[in-house]
């Protein structure tokens, strides 16, 4: 049964990449809204988890407001998929005019100094689009990490898709990713990591919207070991076809403390920057999985997540 389900999943994603990218823009947007509203109305596990997560982000929201946010959140989530399915068909000019990032000079300045840059992002809006914008509009190649999805064919499809967009993609598991990322940074390159949810059960604990969560230590460790500039980035939609974003001030390596202490301080700084962006645009935070430790305790640890 698992094999059949895996083949069906891979087939459905294949249809998305093969069909949606050929739709006119209005038709693709309407299809995304229709699917999002249908899923939202069914009140499945993902929607309920999204609302539970948003209740931490917007603690004063009542049931009606949370329902509004989760509906908007599902529409934002499907916009991510509709755009991502269509990205391979977008030309350089289309990509360029689809993204506006504040304070992008922070990225340029870091790369110009030859020290390498780590961009750390939460699951906000469309990080794949931001990545394509970097490779096509800014002509900046970069390296990233992808979770190994099941079925394996789906993971291979994701990797091929992202590599076709100009990204170097490393597997999250296997142990060699960190070393490769460090080499890219020491060579003055760019590394982009989605970093608001730990998948290893060995991340760094942070305070996030008043409760304890665990986030990956990788961005902070890479900055410490390579001297790379660590920059938080947040993204959002504003009701227009153009995705917006902001490069936040750099997270510096503390001058004193052990490696673990420095990592804790730096990861908390990332969490704080993420929280600012998520609080400003909660409907664009695509977190349909358990995140806080109090929730994970009910399930015995992290489960699979979208990369």
């Amino acid at each position: 049964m698992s094999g059949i389900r895996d083949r069906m999943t891979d087939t459905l994603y294949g249809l998305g990449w093969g069909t949606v990218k050929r739709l006119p823009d209005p038709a693709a947007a309407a299809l995304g809204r229709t699917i999002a509203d249908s899923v939202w109305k069914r009140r499945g596990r993902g929607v309920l988890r999204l609302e539970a997560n948003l209740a931490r982000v917007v603690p004063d929201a009542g049931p009606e407001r949370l329902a509004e946010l989760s509906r908007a959140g599902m529409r934002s989530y499907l916009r991510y998929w509709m755009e991502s399915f269509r990205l391979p068909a977008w030309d350089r000019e289309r990509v360029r005019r689809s993204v506006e990032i504040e304070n992008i000079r922070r990225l340029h300045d870091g790369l110009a100094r030859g020290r390498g840059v780590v961009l750390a992002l939460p699951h906000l809006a469309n990080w794949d689009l931001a990545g394509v914008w970097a490779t096509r509009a800014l002509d900046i190649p970069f390296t990233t990490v992808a979770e190994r999805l099941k079925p394996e064919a789906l993971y291979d499809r994701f990797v091929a898709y992202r590599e076709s967009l100009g990204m170097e993609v490393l597997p999250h598991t296997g142990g060699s990713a960190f070393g490769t990322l460090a080499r890219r940074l020491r060579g003055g390159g760019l590394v982009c990591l989605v970093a608001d949810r730990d998948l290893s059960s060995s991340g760094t604990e942070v305070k996030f919207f008043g409760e304890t969560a665990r986030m990956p230590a990788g961005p902070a460790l890479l900055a410490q070991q390579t001297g790379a500039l660590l920059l938080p980035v947040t993204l959002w939609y504003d009701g227009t076809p153009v995705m917006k974003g902001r490069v936040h001030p750099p997270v510096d390596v503390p001058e004193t403390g052990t490696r673990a202490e420095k990592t804790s301080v730096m990861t908390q700084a990332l969490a704080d920057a993420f929280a600012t962006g998520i609080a400003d645009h909660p409907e664009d935070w695509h977190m349909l999985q358990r995140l806080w430790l109090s929730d994970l305790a009910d399930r015995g640890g992290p489960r699979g997540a979208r990369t």
Side-chain angles (χ1 to χ4, degrees):
M1 182 64 70
S2 176
I4 295 173
R5 184 169 57 247
D6 286 350
R7 287 194 296 273
M8 288 179 62
T9 300
D10 183 52
T11 299
L12 289 172
Y13 277 104
L15 286 172
W17 268 296
T19 302
V20 172
K21 68 181 179 183
R22 292 194 289 268
L23 292 175
D25 287 348
L31 177 62
R33 290 192 299 270
T34 298
I35 295 172
D37 289 349
S38 177
V39 172
W40 178 78
K41 288 176 183 177
R42 289 203 297 269
R43 308 290 293 162
R45 184 167 56 186
V47 173
L48 295 177
R49 173 48 48 192
L50 177 60
E51 286 188 8
N53 291 339
L54 289 171
R56 265 79 168 230
V57 176
V58 190
D60 296 333
E64 291 186 5
R65 174 59 176 153
L66 285 176
E68 291 173 358
L69 282 172
S70 68
R71 183 180 187 185
M74 293 307 299
R75 286 188 170 194
S76 175
Y77 185 46
L78 264 294
R79 176 173 171 175
Y80 163 88
W81 282 111
M82 292 298 114
E83 287 179 343
S84 295
F85 285 143
R86 294 160 62 75
L87 279 176
W90 287 12
D91 61 23
R92 185 182 297 267
E93 177 58 25
R94 173 69 185 273
V95 171
R96 186 197 63 77
R97 67 174 187 265
S98 295
V99 179
E100 293 179 2
I101 305 292
E102 300 173 8
N103 299 321
I104 193 64
R105 61 176 176 75
R106 289 173 171 148
L107 169 60
H108 290 302
D109 290 348
L111 292 174
R113 291 197 292 269
R115 60 184 295 192
V117 175
V118 179
L119 296 182
L121 306 88
H123 287 80
L124 272 170
N126 193 336
W127 49 98
D128 280 337
L129 173 55
V132 176
W133 184 75
T135 60
R136 292 187 180 175
L138 302 182
D139 291 319
I140 301 174
F142 68 89
T143 304
T144 189
V145 173
E147 178 197 1
R148 280 200 175 276
L149 299 172
K150 296 295 183 180
E152 192 72 17
L154 179 58
Y155 170 77
D156 292 340
R157 193 185 293 274
F158 260 104
V159 170
Y161 153 70
R162 285 174 172 162
E163 288 180 341
S164 75
L165 300 175
M167 312 175 193
E168 180 186 20
V169 183
L170 307 176
H172 180 268
T173 57
S176 62
F178 189 91
T180 302
L181 295 173
R183 287 193 294 274
R184 300 292 182 269
L185 292 168
R186 291 191 180 102
L190 174 63
V191 166
C192 299
L193 300 171
V194 180
D196 58 342
R197 185 170 184 264
D198 179 61
L199 299 175
S200 67
S201 299
S202 60
T204 299
E205 291 189 4
V206 295
K207 286 296 182 183
F208 194 55
F209 292 104
E211 294 188 41
T212 303
R214 189 183 292 118
M215 293 188 180
L221 289 172
L222 285 167
Q224 291 177 60
Q225 293 194 20
T226 68
L229 187 69
L230 176 54
L231 295 172
V233 178
T234 56
L235 307 168
W236 66 90
Y237 297 125
D238 65 355
T240 73
V242 180
M243 183 180 71
K244 305 302 193 299
R246 177 179 300 115
V247 181
H248 295 255
V251 174
D252 296 325
V253 178
E255 295 183 0
T256 61
T258 64
R259 184 173 70 171
E261 290 169 343
K262 292 177 180 179
T263 300
S264 178
V265 171
M266 295 172 72
T267 307
Q268 182 63 62
L270 284 180
D272 292 343
F274 294 166
T276 297
I278 292 167
D280 287 344
H281 306 279
E283 68 279 5
D284 291 324
W285 190 39
H286 305 156
M287 186 57 65
L288 280 69
Q289 300 84 18
R290 296 169 187 262
L291 178 71
W292 283 272
L293 297 192
S294 59
D295 292 335
L296 290 170
D298 297 335
R299 296 284 298 274
R303 293 293 191 243
R306 177 167 58 89
T307 58

